[in-house]
C-alpha cells in the first residue's frame, strides 16, 4: 500500500513531476514513529540541469506579464492552499513531526498569507519619475532573473512560500531545494501554483543534500540565492554566491534574548517564554532561548513556568489534542540531548524536563534550566530544540549588554509595563525582529530577518520586494547632446 505522504515523484520541473532513480535515495522518516513513509531521490546533474534551464527559459515570459496577471495567479494559489489546509497540514505533520494542532494554523495558512500578500503587491511595483529641468530620469523595478531558494526543515511549506511568493511577484523564476529531511511539502506548493495558472517552469523543486544546493548556488545562470539555514551553511553559501556576484538573502540561526522585567505581567511573560521556546518543539530560528528574568520575580516566574510547562501534551501529532511533538530526526534529538547533558554538567539547575520522553518517536521533554550563566554552552550556542535557559539580571544596562554579547542577532523581546523602557531597551538591542510584550509573531506584513551573523536581507513585507528586484534608471535627454569634440 502506498503511504498517503508518498509524493508522485521526487522533483517538480517544468510544470510536472519528474523522477530519476539514479539519484541517491533519501528516506523520509515520520518523526513520531520512526517509520519510513516515503522515498525521494537526490537530484542528479541531469535533473539539476533540467530545472535550471527550464527556470531560465520560463522567466522572461513570466516577467513580461503584467503585475496584475502575476498577482492573480498567486492569489488563486493562496485560495487553493486555504481550501486544502487540512490535507496540507497532515502532510506537513508527516514531513516534520509537528503536531497537527500547530500545522493547521501555522504552515499552509502562513504560506497562503505570503502568496496572497505578494500577489496583492505584484501590480504595485512601479518606478519613479525624476524631473531634471527639461530632461528626466525614470526608474523601473525589474526582476533579478533566476532565483534559487534553499530551505531548512522546520517550516517546509512556509519557507517555500516565503521565498517563492515574493520572487514570483517580482517576475523572477525559482528553483527551490527543500531540506533533505523534509522534502514533501514544497512539491505541493509547486503543484498548486500550476493549478492556479502559473506557467510551467517558473517554480521548480529539486531534492538533494548540500551538494545539490552547492550546484545550484554556483551555477552562472543563477542571479540570486535565498537560504534559510544555519550560520555555518550560510557562510558557505554566501561565499559561493559572492564568487558569482549574486544577490543573497540569508535567514540564519539565533540565540535570541527575551528580557522580563519585574513589573511584567507574569502570566503573559510566561506565555511569551513558552511560545518562544516550545512551539514546534523549539525548532524555530527566532526563539528567545536566553530568558533574562529580573531577580525580584525570578522564583515566582520559574514556579509559574514549571506549572504551565507541565500542561504540555506530548503524544500522537495527528491527535489535535497533542500540543508538543517530537524532534524532526533522531540525529537532531541526540544533538539536543547532548546540550541538555552539557547544561547539567556545567551546573545549570533543571526546573522541568531534562530528558528524552519515555515513548516511541524522537520526543524530548520540554526543558527549562535556571541559574544559567552567560558562559555556559547552553547560553551561547543555538540548540534548536525545546531547551530554555533562564538567566538572572539586576539592571537594564547590565541586561542589554549581556543580551548583545553574542555573534547572533535574529530576534529579541521585552516584557514590561513601562513602555518608555520597552522602546528604549528594544532600541538598544542588536536584533532584526523584535517584540514588546509578545514573542515570535511573524505576520507576512512585517519584515523578518536578522543582523550580525543571523543574516542578510529581509523576508516578508515590502522589504522582501527590494531583495527580489533591482532598479533600472533611464536618463532621457530632450535637447541636443553636448560633447567635448
Ligand atoms: P542547514 O544549514 O543544515 O541546512 C539548510 C539548507 O541548506 C538545507 O537545505 C541544506 O541541505 C542546505 N545546504 C547545506 N549545505 C549546503 C551547501 N554547501 N550549499 C548549499 N546548500 C547547502 O540548516 P537546517 O536544515 O539544519 O536548519 C536549521 C537551521 O536553520 C538553524 O540554524 C535555524 O536557526 C535556521 N533557520 C533559520 C530561519 C530564519 O528564518 N532565520 C528559519 C528556520 C531555520 P541538506 O540539509 O538537505 O543537506
Amino acid at each position: 500500500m502506498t503511504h498517503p505522504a508518498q509524493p508522485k515523484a521526487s522533483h517538480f520541473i517544468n510544470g510536472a513531476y519528474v523522477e530519476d532513480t539514479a539519484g541517491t535515495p533519501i528516506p523520509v522518516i515520520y518523526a513520531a514513529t520512526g517509520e519510513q513513509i516515503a522515498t525521494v531521490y537526490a537530484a542528479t546533474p541531469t535533473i539539476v540541469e533540467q530545472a535550471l534551464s527550464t527556470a531560465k527559459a520560463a522567466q522572461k515570459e513570466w516577467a513580461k506579464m503584467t503585475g496584475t496577471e502575476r498577482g492573480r495567479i498567486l492569489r488563486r494559489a493562496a485560495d487553493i492552499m486555504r481550501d486544502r489546509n487540512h490535507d496540507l497540514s497532515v502532510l506537513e505533520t508527516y514531513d516534520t513531526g509537528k503536531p497537527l494542532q500547530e500545522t493547521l494554523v501555522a504552515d499552509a495558512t502562513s504560506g497562503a498569507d505570503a502568496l496572497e500578500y505578494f500577489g496583492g503587491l505584484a501590480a504595485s511595483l512601479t518606478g519613479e519619475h525624476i524631473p531634471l529641468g527639461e530632461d528626466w530620469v525614470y526608474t523601473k523595478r525589474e526582476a533579478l532573473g533566476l532565483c534559487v531558494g534553499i530551505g531548512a526543515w522546520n517550516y517546509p511549506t512556509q519557507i517555500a512560500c516565503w521565498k517563492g511568493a515574493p520572487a514570483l511577484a517580482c517576475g523572477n523564476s525559482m528553483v527551490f531545494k527543500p531540506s533533505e529531511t523534509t522534502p514533501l511539502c514544497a512539491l505541493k506548493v509547486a503543484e498548486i501554483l500550476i493549478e492556479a495558472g502559473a506557467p510551467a517552469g517558473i517554480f521548480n523543486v529539486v531534492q538533494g543534500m548540500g551538494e545539490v544546493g552547492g550546484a545550484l548556488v554556483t551555477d552562472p545562470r543563477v542571479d540570486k540565492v535565498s537560504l534559510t539555514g544555519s550560520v555555518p551553511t550560510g557562510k558557505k553559501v554566501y561565499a559561493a554566491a559572492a564568487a558569482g556576484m549574486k544577490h543573497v538573502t540569508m535567514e540564519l540561526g539565533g540565540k535570541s534574548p527575551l528580557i522580563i522585567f519585574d513589573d511584567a505581567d507574569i502570566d503573559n511573560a510566561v506565555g511569551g517564554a513558552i511560545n518562544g521556546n516550545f512551539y514546534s518543539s523549539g525548532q524555530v530560528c527566532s526563539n528567545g532561548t536566553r530568558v533574562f528574568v529580573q531577580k525580584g520575580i525570578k522564583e515566582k516566574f520559574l514556579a509559574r513556568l514549571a506549572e504551565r510547562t507541565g500542561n504540555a501534551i506530548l503524544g500522537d501529532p495527528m491527535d489535535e489534542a497533542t500540543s508538543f511533538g517530537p524532534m524532526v530526526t533522531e540525529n537532531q534529538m541526540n544533538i539536543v540531548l547532548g546540550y541538555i547533558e552539557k547544561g547539567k554538567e556545567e551546573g545549570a539547575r533543571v526546573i522541568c524536563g531534562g530528558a528524552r520522553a519515555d515513548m516511541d518517536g524522537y520526543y524530548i521533554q520540554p526543558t527549562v534550566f535556571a541559574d544559567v550563566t552567560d558562559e555556559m554552552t547552553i547560553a551561547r550556542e543555538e540548540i534548536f530544540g525545546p531547551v530554555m535557559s533562564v538567566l538572572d539580571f539586576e539592571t537594564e544596562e547590565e541586561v542589554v549588554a549581556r543580551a548583545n554579547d553574542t555573534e547572533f542577532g535574529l530576534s529579541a523581546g521585552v516584557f514590561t509595563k513601562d513602555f518608555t523602557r520597552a522602546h528604549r531597551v528594544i532600541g538598544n538591542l542588536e536584533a532584526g525582529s523584535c517584540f514588546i510584550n509578545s514573542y515570535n509573531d511573524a505576520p507576512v506584513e512585517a519584515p523578518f530577518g536578522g543582523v550580525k551573523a543571523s543574516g542578510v536581507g529581509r523576508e516578508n513585507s515590502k522589504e522582501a520586494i527590494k531583495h527580489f528586484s533591482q532598479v533600472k534608471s533611464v536618463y532621457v535627454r530632450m535637447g541636443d547632446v553636448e560633447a567635448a569634440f
Side-chain angles (χ1 to χ4, degrees):
M1 194 186 86
T2 317
H3 198 279
Q6 180 68 40
K8 289 187 191 148
S10 300
H11 320 287
F12 196 95
I13 300 171
N14 205 17
Y17 278 98
V18 179
E19 192 56 282
D20 182 353
T21 54
T24 310
I26 301 173
V28 186
I29 309 289
Y30 181 38
T33 60
E35 175 201 3
Q36 181 171 342
I37 53 166
T39 306
V40 295
Y41 296 87
T44 55
T46 314
I47 290 287
V48 170
E49 177 53 36
Q50 268 181 32
L52 288 171
S53 54
T54 296
K56 180 82 190 161
Q59 188 265 325
K60 289 261 179 308
E61 288 305 309
W62 174 243
K64 275 188 201 154
M65 286 168 66
T66 66
T68 305
E69 288 166 330
R70 287 199 302 272
R72 192 179 301 134
I73 291 167
L74 297 183
R75 284 184 286 110
R76 217 181 278 138
D79 291 343
I80 298 173
M81 282 190 86
R82 287 213 179 85
D83 288 346
R84 297 201 193 137
N85 183 42
H86 193 272
D87 287 355
L88 294 169
S89 303
V90 168
L91 188 71
E92 175 95 19
T93 292
Y94 275 127
D95 225 0
T96 61
K98 292 186 293 181
L100 198 55
Q101 188 190 91
E102 282 188 17
T103 55
L104 282 170
V105 297
D107 293 284
T109 53
S110 68
D113 284 353
L115 289 162
E116 184 173 17
Y117 176 84
F118 289 107
L121 279 187
S124 70
L125 308 180
T126 55
E128 266 189 300
H129 171 264
I130 304 165
L132 293 165
E134 286 193 344
D135 297 351
W136 76 89
V137 166
Y138 68 92
T139 65
K140 293 172 74 177
R141 191 156 280 284
E142 295 188 336
L144 298 174
L146 167 50
C147 301
V148 161
I150 300 178
W153 39 257
N154 54 348
Y155 284 82
T157 306
Q158 184 188 78
I159 293 172
C161 293
W162 279 18
K163 297 188 188 310
L168 267 45
C170 294
N172 303 285
S173 60
M174 179 164 273
V175 176
F176 185 82
K177 189 200 85 66
S179 163
E180 69 179 279
T181 308
T182 53
L184 305 178
C185 295
L187 292 167
K188 288 286 163 194
V189 174
E191 218 183 282
I192 286 169
L193 279 162
I194 290 295
E195 219 179 310
I202 60 147
F203 187 81
N204 309 277
V205 176
V206 297
Q207 308 294 347
M209 286 73 104
E211 75 255 20
V212 172
L216 295 172
V217 170
T218 48
D219 192 279
R221 288 165 289 187
V222 170
D223 300 290
K224 153 136 201 171
V225 180
S226 177
L227 170 83
T228 296
S230 62
V231 172
T233 303
K235 287 179 179 168
K236 276 190 235 159
V237 172
Y238 198 174
M245 207 58 88
K246 300 178 200 306
H247 298 256
V248 294
T249 299
M250 296 280 144
E251 291 293 350
L252 309 176
K255 191 74 196 175
S256 301
L258 170 55
I259 301 173
I260 298 165
F261 285 95
D262 57 14
D263 66 340
D265 179 293
I266 295 261
D267 257 304
N268 284 334
V270 167
I274 288 174
N275 288 344
N277 281 272
F278 298 141
Y279 202 70
S280 302
S281 300
Q283 302 166 116
V284 179
C285 51
S286 51
N287 272 356
T289 46
R290 289 184 296 146
V291 180
F292 291 93
V293 180
Q294 205 163 17
K295 269 203 169 138
I297 53 159
K298 174 182 167 183
E299 293 307 329
K300 203 168 155 198
F301 176 86
L302 288 173
R304 189 70 185 117
L305 177 64
E307 189 187 333
R308 284 182 56 182
T309 302
N311 295 333
I313 301 173
L314 282 66
D316 175 4
M318 294 297 174
D319 179 349
E320 282 185 47
T322 297
S323 58
F324 191 87
M327 294 287 91
V328 71
T329 58
E330 187 172 14
N331 183 43
Q332 186 62 18
M333 176 185 74
N334 289 330
I335 291 171
V336 175
L337 288 172
Y339 275 110
I340 291 176
E341 285 317 305
K342 202 102 202 150
K344 291 176 187 168
E345 274 163 38
E346 292 182 3
R349 169 165 58 116
V350 177
I351 296 293
C352 52
R356 186 174 178 178
D358 186 17
M359 56 203 287
D360 287 343
Y362 312 133
Y363 290 82
I364 295 179
Q365 298 165 354
T367 297
V368 177
F369 279 109
D371 305 336
V372 177
T373 58
D374 297 345
E375 304 71 37
M376 288 183 187
T377 311
I378 55 169
R380 301 219 68 81
E381 296 182 14
E382 184 185 43
I383 299 176
F384 225 59
V387 183
M388 184 193 308
S389 293
V390 179
L391 305 94
D392 317 337
F393 76 95
E394 286 183 21
T395 69
E396 178 183 320
E397 201 184 9
E398 166 212 337
V399 77
V400 167
R402 289 170 59 201
N404 285 337
D405 183 19
T406 167
E407 65 163 326
F408 300 110
L410 185 50
S411 293
V414 57
F415 275 84
T416 175
K417 291 200 183 100
D418 178 344
F419 256 68
T420 312
R421 175 162 65 189
H423 292 292
R424 186 174 58 234
V425 168
I426 289 294
N428 287 326
L429 288 173
E430 295 160 2
S433 305
C434 298
F435 309 92
I436 293 177
N437 291 333
S438 189
Y439 206 85
N440 260 355
D441 315 76
V444 68
E445 297 88 344
F448 181 81
V451 303
K452 293 158 73 177
S454 291
V456 175
R458 292 292 176 270
E459 295 200 301
N460 288 343
S461 78
K462 290 179 216 148
E463 288 295 314
I465 296 295
K466 294 185 195 156
H467 297 286
F468 277 107
S469 61
Q470 57 198 340
V471 172
K472 176 179 277 177
S473 100
V474 183
Y475 189 105
V476 181
R477 181 175 297 281
M478 298 298 285
D480 295 332
V481 174
E482 277 183 36
F485 52 88

